Amino acid sequence: MSTSATTIFSPETAARFDRLVTLYPVKRSALIPMLLYAQDEIGYISDAVVVEIAQRIGISELDVRSVLSYYSMLRTKPVGKYNVQVCTNISCMLRDGYGIMEHCKKRLGIGHKEVTSDGLFSLEEVECIGACCWAPAVQINYDFYDDLTTEKMDQILDDYKAGRGKETV
Amino acid sequence: MADVTFTVDGKKLTAPAGTLLIDACKNAGIEIPAFCYYPNLSLQAACRMCVVRIEKMPKLQTACTTPVAEGMVVQSETDEIKQARKATIELLLGNHPLDCPVCDAGGECELQDMTFKYGAAESKYIEIKQHREEQQWSPVVYFDRPRCILCYRCVRVCGEGMDVWALGVENRGVSSVIAPNGQDHLNCEECGMCIDLCPVGALTSGTYRYKTRPWEMNHVATICTHCGDGCKTTLGVRSVNDGVEIIRGDNRDKSGINGDFLCNKGRYGFDFANRTDRLTKPLVRQADGKFAEVSWDKALDFAAKKLREIREAKGGQAIGVIGSNRTTNEENYLLQKFARTILGTNNIDHHRTADYVSFASALNGKSGRTAGLRDTTSAPAILLLGNNPTDQHPALAWNLRSNVRLNRSRLYVANHAEIKLRRQAKSFLQIPQDGYASLIQYLGGNDGAIAADDNTTAFRDAIRKEESLLIVFGSEYRGRDIQALVEFGLSLPNTKFAALGDYANSRGAADMGLLPDLLPGYVPVNDAAHFVDEYGATLPTTAGLDLLQMFDAARNGDLAALYVVGSNPVSRYGVDPSALKNTFLVVQDMFLTETAQLADVVFPAANLYEKAGTVTNTYGDIQLVKKAADKAGVRTDFELIVRLADRMGADPKKLVPFGRGSFADMGQTRGAQSGEADRHAVWLAANHLEPKLSPFDPFATLDEIQRLVPSYHVSRLELLTGSEQPEKFDLVQIQPAASRRDLVLPAEDTLFTSGTLGRYSGMLKDIVESHTTPNPAETAAD
Ligand code: SF4
Ligand code: SF4
Ligand code: SF4
Ligand code: FES
Ligand code: FES
């Protein structure tokens, strides 16, 4: 499928997808990168995303869902503008990752995989994000914060709330 | 492949190299438990039940993925292995509800069996089981998630076997779950293969769930009454007030020509038999034009008297007979004998769905040229011309897919539509709807016959290179086109043929002479010497009226009586009811069909699941039909024909050459002694003997068929064992007729319809209604 007028993606992303499916010996290898780019653009993997990606690759929607549901970093519901991902795996756990998680819950008034009513923040407990040396660690969208304490966490959330947070894309 | 020698539990075994250890053991009678392994599906190695100890290998190995090797030394059941299997079961039971007492699979459950064997019912786990509500995915498929042990058999059979790919796995690890393609429902072919293969009760069937337990049913293996493939289906039946009802259609022993397969009709389309609106009393039209229920005596006498009067006043040519595609060979044979010797007419026909006559004459006397359904699982190359087996011959479609997948058979498909089987085809040629005849000319070497291009040339070259080809053709080919097709096929080194017709016994209807110009075995009516000798009666020698001519004659007032057995021509051929207003119409059927509604006398008839005899599928496989169900009030067509003949003053013994002077009844009537007679019948059946002492004995008629029709001279012993017997089509001697109306009207049934019969299946109707799009969107075949 070439970039068509009916695509739900931006022209850039659509063009990128056109190319992606040509890069691998089998088209379906493009599935995961496509899902990630789609999630970046749309915010989550909507039904419409599933439909279009399935069509582009020539596989069934069920195939797309099977892969999609395997990976916890792919989501099927919208998240907040800032998705706070708190690691509670072993290193972070030893350095009070759960404390950070609890603190965020209280501070934001939401639980795991929930979104604040203003849509600004969402919270998620995640597996190791590869920052063990500086545990406990948190990732907000694509930015890392490490060696955290509850005070530092408050500061970070305040910054985001005030629009001063980092926004790497 | 070369054989290798290895040792299992101290026994020296040999098997071809490459055989999986699990199969090699099974062949040697050593059972290795398996949940995820299923023969002929891709290997999964998900369950770890099949672990064995192989010397020199560090850990326990999965027998389902290990090919045997020279000198391999295997232990299949040691304490270590038992412990490992027990642990596996304990994990599986971690989330499995212990609801065996209500589960459909209870008694037939592989997990239950293994738990008994390895004793892991007590668990060390204290975690709470996750409960999920049962989900209905389609009218026939239900999913009970907690029971699922994630063996993925369902996913694989739906994808690899059915090429539907409607099931998948979502999530991962312990939260993995089987998911349907419509998110909360299935869009699929509704075959029920996933349910059949599920080792536990996670997938259950809409027709059977929570109805009974497996051990409370009797299981009778018989032949499906729907399409022309003739699958073996095992009906689970139990006694009810008014007879014996069918509760389940199943493929229990997988010994039939359909192997592992049954389509949704064979599995679920039996419910017409249990309907409450079935006719159970004879109906006779009264002076006020309304039907009244009357006794059998009255109805039979009335019909017989009228038929006799008409025969005497106007002669046999004023009477017509229309037979069925779903009655047994014996019934069809008996019907033509009744028509020809008692009614004195050759006006006999049936709804023809394939031109078997032209096929027989094209192959005249050539031996070894026809293929049974089983051959389609192993033929190295197959040319499929016309038809859409996925819809019309689901078992054939399954076989073709399996053959391509497992044996790398080469499938060539030419069709005017993009039929689904093109996905398995080595090459697919789309031709115009009227291009089937020209295609044969082209394949035979006439370059100008079609618009040729590189594609068509490659197609032709590939076919002509095949050293052994099976040509399967649909009813697009008739008359002279079949002749040309067969001639082309015979110009190749080693070709076999199969003609596709619809319905369970349409081949048998043609073979048994439900035709105005041909007697059983395609003997022309003017060449009836053998028949005259056997019957001790004269037969009319000029060809009678065909089905359409009969209705024309009725319209013109020239058909005084019409006897219709198990057929609905009024609906099928759009006959104007007024055409029959001056015709005395006798109809035998299960329901008050459009045809029966116009009748003067209606006899309630039994269906194929309620009688014994033989049927012949479209490939010429002759198979045994066993009586599974029973309905009080109905009679088999066989019995009805005999009774009618008797009341018309004919000698039943001449019609059915039964017994030699003995008058015992083997349980066909259900009197006070029926228990005893049934027990005797059971004993006879168990010993592969046949009771043959009553005028309603189909085997007495089969004897006669075998005397008169050489192509039916097959082993009775094998037939009674339940295996198919190929019709000896080379023994049919028939010269090509100069020109003959073939009158073929294909049934055009889809996966979920089955002629008039299908309309009386609630389950098929539900399925049709649940499929808003007649053909679920295809998914990629990779
Ligand atoms: S019923 Fe048949 S087609 Fe439908 S999901 Fe099950 S296996 Fe697949
Ligand atoms: S539903 Fe049945 S066949 Fe499918 S994975 Fe679960 S246990 Fe296996
Ligand atoms: S393929 Fe034909 S014979 Fe087999 S189960 Fe289906 S309808 Fe019956
Ligand atoms: S354990 Fe938290 S980042 Fe690795
Ligand atoms: S049968 Fe071998 S792992 Fe399941």
Side-chain angles (χ1 to χ4, degrees), chain A residues 26 28 47 58-63 65-67 69-73 127, chain B residues 165-173 179-183 779-782:
Chain A
V26 278
R28 62 195 302 158
D47 286 350
I59 58 178
S60 71
E61 291 169 31
L62 181 67
D63 285 337
R65 283 181 204 284
S66 295
V67 170
S69 59
Y70 186 92
Y71 294 101
S72 47
M73 284 174 74
E127 310 302 325
Chain B
W165 309 92
L167 295 171
V169 190
E170 290 189 359
N171 305 334
R172 63 164 191 268
N181 57 0
Q183 297 201 58
T779 58
D782 70 352

Short mmCIF file of all heavy atoms in Angstrom, two decimals, chain A residues 26 28 47 58-63 65-67 69-73 127, chain B residues 165-173 179-183 779-782:
data_model
loop_
_atom_site.label_atom_id
_atom_site.label_comp_id
_atom_site.label_asym_id
_atom_site.label_seq_id
_atom_site.Cartn_x
_atom_site.Cartn_y
_atom_site.Cartn_z
N VAL A 26 10.91 -10.29 4.87
CA VAL A 26 9.46 -10.47 4.94
C VAL A 26 8.85 -9.21 5.53
O VAL A 26 9.38 -8.63 6.48
CB VAL A 26 9.05 -11.69 5.80
CG1 VAL A 26 9.14 -12.97 5.00
CG2 VAL A 26 9.84 -11.77 7.07
N ARG A 28 6.38 -8.63 7.38
CA ARG A 28 5.87 -8.53 8.74
C ARG A 28 6.95 -8.17 9.75
O ARG A 28 6.63 -7.81 10.88
CB ARG A 28 5.12 -9.80 9.14
CG ARG A 28 5.95 -11.06 9.15
CD ARG A 28 5.08 -12.29 9.19
NE ARG A 28 4.19 -12.32 10.34
CZ ARG A 28 3.08 -13.03 10.40
NH1 ARG A 28 2.70 -13.75 9.38
NH2 ARG A 28 2.34 -13.04 11.47
N ASP A 47 -7.66 1.15 17.51
CA ASP A 47 -8.17 0.16 16.56
C ASP A 47 -7.82 0.54 15.12
O ASP A 47 -7.46 -0.30 14.31
CB ASP A 47 -9.70 0.03 16.68
CG ASP A 47 -10.09 -0.73 17.95
OD1 ASP A 47 -9.18 -1.30 18.59
OD2 ASP A 47 -11.29 -0.74 18.30
N GLY A 58 -0.17 -6.62 5.19
CA GLY A 58 -0.83 -7.79 4.59
C GLY A 58 -0.94 -8.94 5.57
O GLY A 58 -0.77 -10.10 5.22
N ILE A 59 -1.17 -8.65 6.84
CA ILE A 59 -1.42 -9.70 7.82
C ILE A 59 -2.78 -9.41 8.47
O ILE A 59 -3.39 -8.39 8.18
CB ILE A 59 -0.31 -9.76 8.91
CG1 ILE A 59 -0.19 -8.42 9.63
CG2 ILE A 59 1.00 -10.17 8.30
CD1 ILE A 59 0.85 -8.41 10.74
N SER A 60 -3.22 -10.31 9.31
CA SER A 60 -4.55 -10.09 9.89
C SER A 60 -4.44 -9.16 11.10
O SER A 60 -3.39 -9.02 11.71
CB SER A 60 -5.16 -11.42 10.30
OG SER A 60 -4.49 -11.92 11.43
N GLU A 61 -5.57 -8.55 11.43
CA GLU A 61 -5.59 -7.69 12.61
C GLU A 61 -5.25 -8.50 13.85
O GLU A 61 -4.63 -8.03 14.79
CB GLU A 61 -6.96 -7.03 12.75
CG GLU A 61 -7.22 -6.02 11.66
CD GLU A 61 -8.65 -5.54 11.62
OE1 GLU A 61 -9.30 -5.50 12.68
OE2 GLU A 61 -9.13 -5.24 10.50
N LEU A 62 -5.69 -9.78 13.82
CA LEU A 62 -5.39 -10.65 14.95
C LEU A 62 -3.88 -10.81 15.13
O LEU A 62 -3.37 -10.77 16.25
CB LEU A 62 -6.04 -12.02 14.73
CG LEU A 62 -5.85 -13.06 15.82
CD1 LEU A 62 -6.55 -12.65 17.10
CD2 LEU A 62 -6.37 -14.41 15.35
N ASP A 63 -3.16 -10.94 14.01
CA ASP A 63 -1.69 -11.04 14.08
C ASP A 63 -1.12 -9.80 14.74
O ASP A 63 -0.23 -9.87 15.58
CB ASP A 63 -1.09 -11.17 12.67
CG ASP A 63 -1.31 -12.56 12.09
OD1 ASP A 63 -1.51 -13.50 12.87
OD2 ASP A 63 -1.29 -12.68 10.85
N ARG A 65 -2.61 -7.77 16.78
CA ARG A 65 -2.96 -7.75 18.20
C ARG A 65 -2.14 -8.75 19.02
O ARG A 65 -1.82 -8.51 20.18
CB ARG A 65 -4.45 -8.05 18.38
CG ARG A 65 -5.31 -6.88 18.06
CD ARG A 65 -6.79 -7.17 18.27
NE ARG A 65 -7.58 -6.28 17.43
CZ ARG A 65 -7.79 -5.00 17.69
NH1 ARG A 65 -7.31 -4.47 18.80
NH2 ARG A 65 -8.47 -4.25 16.86
N SER A 66 -1.82 -9.88 18.42
CA SER A 66 -1.02 -10.87 19.14
C SER A 66 0.33 -10.28 19.52
O SER A 66 0.80 -10.46 20.63
CB SER A 66 -0.80 -12.11 18.27
OG SER A 66 -2.03 -12.74 18.03
N VAL A 67 0.94 -9.58 18.56
CA VAL A 67 2.26 -9.00 18.83
C VAL A 67 2.13 -7.83 19.79
O VAL A 67 2.84 -7.71 20.78
CB VAL A 67 2.89 -8.54 17.50
CG1 VAL A 67 4.14 -7.70 17.75
CG2 VAL A 67 3.21 -9.75 16.64
N SER A 69 -0.06 -7.19 22.02
CA SER A 69 -0.39 -7.48 23.41
C SER A 69 0.77 -8.16 24.14
O SER A 69 0.80 -8.24 25.35
CB SER A 69 -1.64 -8.37 23.47
OG SER A 69 -1.39 -9.57 22.77
N TYR A 70 1.75 -8.64 23.36
CA TYR A 70 2.90 -9.30 23.98
C TYR A 70 3.77 -8.27 24.70
O TYR A 70 4.34 -8.53 25.74
CB TYR A 70 3.71 -10.00 22.89
CG TYR A 70 4.85 -10.83 23.42
CD1 TYR A 70 4.67 -12.18 23.70
CD2 TYR A 70 6.10 -10.27 23.64
CE1 TYR A 70 5.71 -12.95 24.18
CE2 TYR A 70 7.15 -11.04 24.13
CZ TYR A 70 6.94 -12.38 24.39
OH TYR A 70 7.96 -13.14 24.89
N TYR A 71 3.88 -7.08 24.13
CA TYR A 71 4.81 -6.09 24.64
C TYR A 71 4.11 -5.08 25.53
O TYR A 71 3.20 -4.40 25.09
CB TYR A 71 5.49 -5.36 23.47
CG TYR A 71 6.35 -6.29 22.68
CD1 TYR A 71 5.92 -6.83 21.47
CD2 TYR A 71 7.60 -6.67 23.16
CE1 TYR A 71 6.71 -7.70 20.76
CE2 TYR A 71 8.40 -7.55 22.45
CZ TYR A 71 7.95 -8.06 21.25
OH TYR A 71 8.73 -8.93 20.56
N SER A 72 4.59 -4.97 26.77
CA SER A 72 3.88 -4.06 27.67
C SER A 72 4.15 -2.61 27.34
O SER A 72 3.44 -1.72 27.79
CB SER A 72 4.22 -4.38 29.13
OG SER A 72 5.61 -4.51 29.26
N MET A 73 5.19 -2.33 26.54
CA MET A 73 5.42 -0.92 26.20
C MET A 73 4.53 -0.45 25.06
O MET A 73 4.53 0.72 24.72
CB MET A 73 6.88 -0.69 25.85
CG MET A 73 7.76 -0.66 27.10
SD MET A 73 9.49 -0.56 26.72
CE MET A 73 9.63 1.15 26.20
N GLU A 127 9.00 -2.59 34.30
CA GLU A 127 10.16 -3.45 34.55
C GLU A 127 11.42 -2.64 34.28
O GLU A 127 11.37 -1.51 33.79
CB GLU A 127 10.11 -4.67 33.64
CG GLU A 127 8.79 -5.42 33.63
CD GLU A 127 8.35 -5.93 34.99
OE1 GLU A 127 9.23 -6.31 35.78
OE2 GLU A 127 7.13 -5.90 35.27
N TRP B 165 -6.87 -18.94 10.01
CA TRP B 165 -6.08 -18.09 10.89
C TRP B 165 -6.95 -17.20 11.77
O TRP B 165 -6.68 -16.02 11.95
CB TRP B 165 -5.09 -17.23 10.08
CG TRP B 165 -4.29 -18.04 9.12
CD1 TRP B 165 -4.58 -18.31 7.81
CD2 TRP B 165 -3.05 -18.72 9.38
NE1 TRP B 165 -3.63 -19.12 7.25
CE2 TRP B 165 -2.67 -19.38 8.18
CE3 TRP B 165 -2.24 -18.85 10.52
CZ2 TRP B 165 -1.50 -20.15 8.09
CZ3 TRP B 165 -1.07 -19.60 10.41
CH2 TRP B 165 -0.72 -20.25 9.21
N ALA B 166 -8.01 -17.77 12.30
CA ALA B 166 -8.95 -16.96 13.09
C ALA B 166 -8.58 -16.93 14.56
O ALA B 166 -9.18 -16.17 15.32
CB ALA B 166 -10.36 -17.51 12.92
N LEU B 167 -7.66 -17.77 14.99
CA LEU B 167 -7.31 -17.79 16.41
C LEU B 167 -5.86 -17.37 16.59
O LEU B 167 -4.99 -17.71 15.78
CB LEU B 167 -7.51 -19.19 16.99
CG LEU B 167 -8.95 -19.69 17.02
CD1 LEU B 167 -8.99 -21.16 17.40
CD2 LEU B 167 -9.79 -18.87 17.98
N GLY B 168 -5.62 -16.66 17.66
CA GLY B 168 -4.26 -16.22 17.94
C GLY B 168 -4.01 -16.22 19.43
O GLY B 168 -4.89 -16.59 20.22
N VAL B 169 -2.80 -15.84 19.79
CA VAL B 169 -2.46 -15.77 21.21
C VAL B 169 -2.22 -14.31 21.55
O VAL B 169 -1.50 -13.62 20.83
CB VAL B 169 -1.16 -16.54 21.51
CG1 VAL B 169 -0.95 -16.66 23.01
CG2 VAL B 169 -1.18 -17.89 20.84
N GLU B 170 -2.82 -13.86 22.62
CA GLU B 170 -2.53 -12.50 23.06
C GLU B 170 -1.87 -12.53 24.43
O GLU B 170 -1.96 -13.51 25.16
CB GLU B 170 -3.82 -11.66 23.07
CG GLU B 170 -4.28 -11.40 21.64
CD GLU B 170 -5.40 -10.41 21.50
OE1 GLU B 170 -5.89 -9.88 22.52
OE2 GLU B 170 -5.79 -10.16 20.35
N ASN B 171 -1.22 -11.43 24.75
CA ASN B 171 -0.45 -11.30 25.99
C ASN B 171 0.71 -12.29 26.00
O ASN B 171 1.02 -12.90 25.00
CB ASN B 171 -1.32 -11.47 27.22
CG ASN B 171 -2.49 -10.50 27.21
OD1 ASN B 171 -2.40 -9.44 26.60
ND2 ASN B 171 -3.56 -10.89 27.85
N ARG B 172 1.34 -12.45 27.15
CA ARG B 172 2.48 -13.36 27.17
C ARG B 172 2.58 -14.04 28.53
O ARG B 172 1.92 -13.63 29.50
CB ARG B 172 3.76 -12.61 26.85
CG ARG B 172 4.09 -11.56 27.87
CD ARG B 172 5.53 -11.07 27.77
NE ARG B 172 5.79 -10.27 28.96
CZ ARG B 172 5.62 -8.97 29.02
NH1 ARG B 172 5.24 -8.28 27.97
NH2 ARG B 172 5.85 -8.34 30.15
N GLY B 173 3.40 -15.08 28.56
CA GLY B 173 3.64 -15.78 29.82
C GLY B 173 2.36 -16.31 30.42
O GLY B 173 1.48 -16.78 29.71
N ALA B 179 -7.17 -15.89 21.58
CA ALA B 179 -8.07 -14.80 21.20
C ALA B 179 -8.63 -15.03 19.80
O ALA B 179 -7.93 -15.52 18.93
CB ALA B 179 -7.30 -13.48 21.23
N PRO B 180 -9.89 -14.67 19.61
CA PRO B 180 -10.51 -14.82 18.29
C PRO B 180 -10.27 -13.58 17.43
O PRO B 180 -10.01 -12.51 17.97
CB PRO B 180 -12.00 -14.93 18.64
CG PRO B 180 -12.15 -14.11 19.88
CD PRO B 180 -10.85 -14.16 20.62
N ASN B 181 -10.37 -13.75 16.13
CA ASN B 181 -10.00 -12.64 15.24
C ASN B 181 -10.94 -11.44 15.31
O ASN B 181 -10.57 -10.34 14.96
CB ASN B 181 -9.87 -13.12 13.79
CG ASN B 181 -11.13 -13.77 13.28
OD1 ASN B 181 -12.12 -13.88 13.99
ND2 ASN B 181 -11.09 -14.24 12.05
N GLY B 182 -12.16 -11.64 15.79
CA GLY B 182 -13.08 -10.49 15.87
C GLY B 182 -13.05 -9.82 17.23
O GLY B 182 -14.02 -9.17 17.61
N GLN B 183 -11.99 -9.98 17.95
CA GLN B 183 -11.80 -9.46 19.32
C GLN B 183 -12.70 -10.14 20.35
O GLN B 183 -12.21 -10.71 21.30
CB GLN B 183 -11.98 -7.95 19.37
CG GLN B 183 -10.93 -7.25 18.53
CD GLN B 183 -10.73 -5.82 18.91
OE1 GLN B 183 -10.41 -5.52 20.04
NE2 GLN B 183 -10.92 -4.92 17.96
N THR B 779 -7.57 -13.63 5.07
CA THR B 779 -6.34 -13.07 5.61
C THR B 779 -5.17 -13.69 4.86
O THR B 779 -5.33 -14.67 4.16
CB THR B 779 -6.21 -13.39 7.10
OG1 THR B 779 -6.25 -14.81 7.25
CG2 THR B 779 -7.34 -12.77 7.89
N ALA B 780 -4.04 -13.09 5.02
CA ALA B 780 -2.89 -13.56 4.26
C ALA B 780 -2.56 -15.00 4.63
O ALA B 780 -2.80 -15.44 5.73
CB ALA B 780 -1.70 -12.67 4.54
N ALA B 781 -1.99 -15.71 3.68
CA ALA B 781 -1.77 -17.13 3.89
C ALA B 781 -0.40 -17.43 4.48
O ALA B 781 -0.07 -18.58 4.71
CB ALA B 781 -1.93 -17.87 2.56
N ASP B 782 0.38 -16.45 4.74
CA ASP B 782 1.74 -16.78 5.19
C ASP B 782 1.79 -17.17 6.65
O ASP B 782 0.80 -17.05 7.36
CB ASP B 782 2.71 -15.64 4.91
CG ASP B 782 2.48 -14.43 5.80
OD1 ASP B 782 1.45 -14.43 6.52
OD2 ASP B 782 3.29 -13.51 5.78
#
